[in-house]
Amino acid sequence: SQTIHQWPATLVQPVGSPLSLECTVEGTSNPNLYWYRQAAGRGLQLLFYSVGIGQISSEVPQNLSASRPQDRQFILSSKKLLLSDSGFYLCAWRGSLDTQYFGPGTRLTVL
Amino acid sequence: RKEVEQDPGPFNVPEGATVAFNCTYSNSASQSFFWYRQDCRKEPKLLMSVYSSGNEDGRFTAQLNRASQYISLLIRDSKLSDSATYLCVVNEGASKIIFGSGTRLSIRP
């Protein structure tokens, strides 16, 4: 069965510091992968999606970037964090019939 | 108009009650529809897909009305464990997946 991992689970970072969040998927090959952010009390906002290695599409202009160095690895990065980058970051893969399955998420607080 | 709209709630109902949520979407070309459940500080989990003919999974029934562009979720005989936020999801294509902001449901003993 498919499993999706994210780390770290929680992170507290100062403004201006870099960021790297990792997502890995097991049990499937060539998955479509997604990064979402959920701000406190808000809905999920799609940040990036990837259909394959090195293929990244960005949904909104922002302070973040994504990379897919391996088939089952998806990384979210920032060179300099802003206060507004705080939120719950979720990685997901696309299953059959357009369903999405989420990892456990990373809760980021930027101070 | 938002692409996907949900009543944020909270809905506070007694155990055993029946509760229904609606969700409206703006793009008539939307392809697929889902309900997800999200517990506090956890990731969303797929509850059920929504089909035009309507579908049922135990105490949960989902309906799609393409003409009026809304989907609904009905929960019968609600349990304390049903307390969560319910997210409506509309898929317009591989890269266009829209999540509603969620409806909070609280079941009281």
Side-chain angles (χ1 to χ4, degrees):
Chain A
S1 64
Q2 297 83 6
T3 310
I4 184 165
H5 303 278
Q6 286 186 247
W7 62 88
T10 59
L11 193 58
V12 180
Q13 292 284 97
V15 168
S17 63
L19 174 75
S20 181
L21 303 181
E22 189 163 343
C23 168
T24 58
V25 182
E26 295 177 0
T28 184
S29 59
N30 197 30
N32 283 7
L33 296 174
Y34 303 78
W35 276 112
Y36 291 88
R37 176 172 60 204
Q38 187 175 36
R42 307 285 295 276
L44 273 71
Q45 179 187 31
L46 179 62
L47 302 175
F48 300 95
Y49 73 95
S50 171
V51 300
I53 296 173
Q55 299 178 69
I56 308 294
S57 295
S58 173
E59 286 299 300
V60 292
Q62 58 208 313
N63 185 41
L64 302 167
S65 62
S67 62
R68 188 160 174 184
Q70 300 180 46
D71 182 44
R72 286 173 280 183
Q73 185 184 32
F74 203 19
I75 297 172
L76 183 70
S77 305
S78 174
K79 292 182 179 177
K80 285 187 177 182
L81 284 169
L82 306 172
L83 287 174
S84 57
D85 291 324
S86 292
F88 190 34
Y89 287 83
L90 291 155
C91 180
W93 68 277
R94 183 183 173 199
S96 60
L97 302 176
D98 295 333
T99 53
Q100 297 245 309
Y101 297 95
F102 290 87
T106 295
R107 198 161 298 277
L108 172 66
T109 303
V110 182
L111 301 175
Chain B
R1 182 183 173 187
K2 284 186 181 178
E3 293 171 293
V4 175
E5 289 201 67
Q6 293 184 251
D7 182 340
F11 285 64
N12 190 322
V13 303
E15 201 173 1
T18 295
V19 61
F21 312 133
N22 278 345
C23 166
T24 59
Y25 60 96
S26 60
N27 187 346
S28 60
S30 297
Q31 299 172 5
S32 52
F33 308 86
F34 308 90
W35 283 103
Y36 280 72
R37 170 196 170 123
Q38 186 173 23
D39 293 299
C40 187
R41 301 181 71 81
K42 296 288 189 181
E43 74 274 23
K45 292 187 178 177
L46 178 66
L47 180 64
M48 57 198 305
S49 302
V50 188
Y51 303 119
S52 297
S53 56
N55 48 300
E56 190 174 306
D57 182 1
R59 298 180 293 107
F60 298 82
T61 301
Q63 296 276 358
L64 166 63
N65 186 318
R66 283 193 180 272
S68 301
Q69 294 180 210
Y70 76 84
I71 67 173
S72 63
L73 177 68
L74 181 79
I75 305 175
R76 291 182 299 278
D77 187 25
S78 53
K79 312 290 184 192
L80 294 175
S81 58
D82 294 333
S83 297
T85 297
Y86 290 83
L87 306 175
C88 165
V89 181
V90 175
N91 193 332
E92 299 177 0
S95 63
K96 190 74 170 172
I97 301 165
I98 314 295
F99 281 75
S101 299
T103 298
R104 283 176 47 209
L105 173 64
S106 179
I107 308 297
R108 61 180 188 269

